[in-house]
Amino acid sequence: MQVDALENLHRKLPDPSAPVSPPVVRPKPGRARQLDLNQVQALIAGYKSGETVYQLGTRYGIARQTVSEILHRHEVPMRRRGLSTEQTDDAIHLYNLGWSLARVGRHLGVDSTTVLAKLRQRGVPTRDAHGRPRA
């Protein structure tokens, strides 16, 4: 039985006479994008004029969390958008129709975690990623 297992393993090994494939060349990870002072000032001005951290992140090629960090570092007061009562009612309706949290969030212009928090505040039962009710 052990001999059969060893022979089976031996058959799975590559042929020693076969040419060796070249090593996979992977690009080295890049350095994080750094904004210069002019870009930071423009980012702050954009936020103060009403742009969202998501829009600014897309424009400058950085994560929205990085935009928030820059704004905090420069002591820019943050807007809390969230969802209004009417938007929360709309979110509950759409979620109950079978929309995903991500889809509802995109529709309302907020992150899916914002939608989830509002649903939980209202006591709406949520589904798992496969659409099944959570326990």
Side-chain angles (χ1 to χ4, degrees), residues 34-49:
Q34 300 289 315
L35 301 183
D36 64 34
L37 186 58
N38 291 333
Q39 290 173 314
V40 169
Q41 294 304 319
L43 182 144
I44 292 169
Y47 184 78
K48 287 182 176 178
S49 71

Side-chain angles (χ1 to χ4, degrees), residues 6-80:
L6 284 172
E7 286 176 349
N8 191 23
L9 283 173
H10 187 264
R11 281 190 294 274
K12 291 181 182 179
L13 290 173
D15 181 10
S17 62
V20 177
S21 58
V24 177
V25 178
R26 292 185 176 93
K28 292 183 179 179
R31 182 182 159 115
R33 177 140 163 64
Q34 300 289 315
L35 301 183
D36 64 34
L37 186 58
N38 291 333
Q39 290 173 314
V40 169
Q41 294 304 319
L43 182 144
I44 292 169
Y47 184 78
K48 287 182 176 178
S49 71
E51 288 185 78
T52 67
V53 292
Y54 293 95
Q55 292 167 329
L56 292 165
T58 299
R59 183 190 317 163
Y60 291 100
I62 57 177
R64 66 138 180 105
Q65 295 92 334
T66 306
V67 174
S68 294
E69 289 170 11
I70 291 168
L71 295 171
H72 285 295
R73 199 175 315 132
H74 289 85
E75 299 178 356
V76 176
M78 300 295 292
R79 297 184 301 267
R80 294 283 180 204

